[in-house]
Amino acid sequence: MASTDKLSPRDRLLDAAARLSYRDGVSVGIEALCREAGVSKRSMYQLFDSKDAMLAASLERRVPWYDAQLAHPDPEAATPRERILYVFERLERASRDAGYHGCPYLAVLVELKNPEHPASVVARTVKDRLAATFRAEAERGGARDPDLLARQLLLVFDGASARAGAKVEDLRDGLATTTVTALLDAAGMD
Amino acid sequence: MASTDKLSPRDRLLDAAARLSYRDGVSVGIEALCREAGVSKRSMYQLFDSKDAMLAASLERRVPWYDAQLAHPDPEAATPRERILYVFERLERASRDAGYHGCPYLAVLVELKNPEHPASVVARTVKDRLAATFRAEAERGGARDPDLLARQLLLVFDGASARAGAKVEDLRDGLATTTVTALLDAAGMD
DNA sequence: CACGGTATACACCGATCGGTTTCCTTTCGT
DNA sequence: ACGAAAGGAAACCGATCGGTGTATACCGTG
């Protein structure tokens, strides 16, 4: 059973929603979520307006952790190229985990075909922020077309995470970093 | 209403399943599928063992059309590089359609987190065959590492289709072909 | 005409969906 | 110690899920 101590019902619900919707998909039922969180359905509907709202909130809550996951541990000492490559090294590393099912934000965007869904909006902002980060690094690294390079990197990032999550591809040999290196070189980055 | 003439109930069901599961996701109900196909639920369960089996069959049925969609119109006259690029030109072209929601096979793999699901198996074989095609072209084109290049191309293919389908990226300016060109060049292809 | 196969319509099954409500216990401020 | 308020368990709502059972209509073939 999940730890039900020391966290508020709200946080337990958000954690359960993040975990179960990632493992089973966004179509997971409220009943299962509440059971997992150890919170009554009644309480959850006092904390959130709807299942959709809770799902969006659970995605939003993970953003800082997600960002930290992809951020280079020593940003000052690293070059832009190293900071970009670090993102893909983390992706490759995460994909080795047995419970890895791809980037949760991309998965939500694919599962909820509706881009207007509150959870889709959150997911898209996460993707847009990663693109902005890549673009800034590309600029600092002297890429010929920073915006183009950033968009290319996201193609690889989402392609790799989707394929690894679906168990169609295995990133353990460094496929993502190898591909990114080729693109960085082609873009004229330091 | 969908055309209910001239096609067998089986074909009407498979078409409806392909269309609705692509538009609304694999969680679309049987009731809706049968209504769209103009076939009774009873008949459907005489033609297919389960919803999962019908979904897998509907995916399989589209394979020849899907392959033809990505095949260069004049394979003899085209170079390996042209045949590869043609795939991504078609992808960019398809993504302009209002009803485009990404590659249906990748979507199924992401939505059905279970790789053992019959529909997932079909989807994976489609992906594997595309990888084999890329690999063959890469070999013919003199790429240094044909297998690596093929896997890189699929990263871009699936990343582009997922992002375009989720309306997070716009391929109209040729982002996919540009990226692929960079990878082909880096791989030393003719 | 009678036949067998195939189709339909439709009720029905238990389970679950998102969401609400009722009842009762626990907790807390005074 | 008392009363209000909050929270939990569970019944309940109508709808839908995947899947069946049943009875009836249509069909080409004998």
Side-chain angles (χ1 to χ4, degrees):
Chain A
M1 194 59 68
S3 67
T4 57
D5 283 345
K6 284 294 166 199
L7 269 72
S8 72
R10 182 163 201 277
D11 289 344
R12 273 182 281 145
L13 277 169
L14 292 177
D15 285 349
R19 187 168 54 254
L20 289 192
S21 72
Y22 179 63
R23 196 189 59 187
D24 304 334
V26 297
S27 61
V28 64
I30 313 187
E31 224 105 21
L33 290 181
C34 291
R35 199 183 321 123
E36 174 86 0
V39 174
S40 73
K41 236 202 303 193
R42 185 178 199 276
S43 303
M44 102 128 241
Y45 274 105
Q46 280 170 221
L47 291 165
F48 302 98
D49 289 345
S50 65
K51 179 196 175 184
D52 291 351
M54 181 179 57
L55 181 61
S58 84
L59 288 182
E60 195 142 39
R61 184 171 137 87
R62 291 293 230 241
V63 169
W65 174 88
Y66 192 74
D67 286 355
Q69 202 74 359
L70 300 181
H72 194 286
D74 191 353
E76 315 297 329
T79 65
R81 173 184 285 260
E82 286 170 339
R83 287 195 290 265
I84 288 177
L85 277 172
Y86 185 81
V87 171
F88 292 88
E89 287 162 16
R90 295 301 302 207
L91 173 59
E92 286 167 352
R93 204 169 184 289
S95 75
R96 305 190 62 151
D97 192 286
Y100 184 72
H101 295 115
C103 166
Y105 300 102
L106 180 64
V108 156
L109 283 166
V110 171
E111 291 178 47
L112 307 169
K113 316 259 173 188
N114 172 18
E116 314 292 335
H117 191 291
S120 296
V121 174
V122 173
R124 203 163 45 243
T125 71
V126 169
K127 290 296 174 188
D128 288 348
R129 284 201 328 115
L130 183 55
T133 302
F134 280 154
R135 181 155 25 80
E137 301 292 3
E139 233 165 64
R140 247 173 296 199
R144 265 187 298 277
D145 188 340
D147 194 71
L148 172 64
L149 178 56
R151 292 168 66 212
Q152 291 179 328
L153 294 179
L154 265 162
L155 249 46
V156 175
F157 184 89
D158 283 335
S161 90
R163 289 180 63 79
K167 316 291 181 194
V168 193
E169 184 59 88
D170 190 335
L171 307 178
R172 272 176 295 187
D173 62 352
L175 174 64
T177 47
T178 301
T179 307
V180 165
T181 299
L183 290 175
L184 295 179
D185 290 345
M189 264 212 32
D190 301 338
Chain B
M1 194 60 69
S3 68
T4 58
D5 285 345
K6 285 292 166 201
L7 268 71
S8 72
R10 182 164 201 277
D11 289 344
R12 273 182 282 145
L13 276 168
L14 292 177
D15 284 349
R19 189 167 54 254
L20 289 193
S21 71
Y22 179 61
R23 197 190 59 189
D24 303 334
V26 297
S27 60
V28 65
I30 304 189
E31 224 106 20
L33 289 180
C34 291
R35 198 182 321 122
E36 174 86 358
V39 173
S40 74
K41 221 180 353 171
R42 206 71 190 86
S43 303
M44 185 234 124
Y45 274 105
Q46 280 170 224
L47 292 165
F48 301 98
D49 289 344
S50 65
K51 178 196 176 183
D52 291 351
M54 181 180 56
L55 180 62
S58 84
L59 287 182
E60 195 142 39
R61 183 170 138 88
R62 291 296 229 241
V63 169
W65 175 87
Y66 192 75
D67 286 355
Q69 201 74 357
L70 300 181
H72 194 286
D74 191 354
E76 315 298 328
T79 66
R81 174 185 284 258
E82 287 169 339
R83 288 195 289 267
I84 288 176
L85 277 172
Y86 185 81
V87 171
F88 292 88
E89 288 163 14
R90 296 299 303 205
L91 173 59
E92 285 167 352
R93 204 170 184 290
S95 75
R96 306 189 61 149
D97 191 286
Y100 184 73
H101 294 115
C103 167
Y105 300 102
L106 179 64
V108 156
L109 283 166
V110 172
E111 291 177 46
L112 306 170
K113 316 257 171 188
N114 173 16
E116 313 292 336
H117 191 291
S120 295
V121 174
V122 174
R124 201 163 47 243
T125 71
V126 169
K127 290 296 174 189
D128 288 348
R129 285 203 324 117
L130 183 54
T133 303
F134 279 154
R135 192 182 170 302
E137 300 292 3
E139 232 165 63
R140 248 173 298 199
R144 263 186 300 276
D145 189 341
D147 194 72
L148 171 63
L149 178 55
R151 291 168 66 213
Q152 290 178 329
L153 294 179
L154 265 161
L155 249 46
V156 175
F157 185 89
D158 284 334
S161 92
R163 291 181 61 79
K167 316 293 181 193
V168 194
E169 185 58 89
D170 190 336
L171 308 178
R172 273 178 294 188
D173 63 352
L175 174 63
T177 47
T178 299
T179 307
V180 165
T181 298
L183 291 175
L184 295 179
D185 290 344
M189 262 212 31
D190 301 339

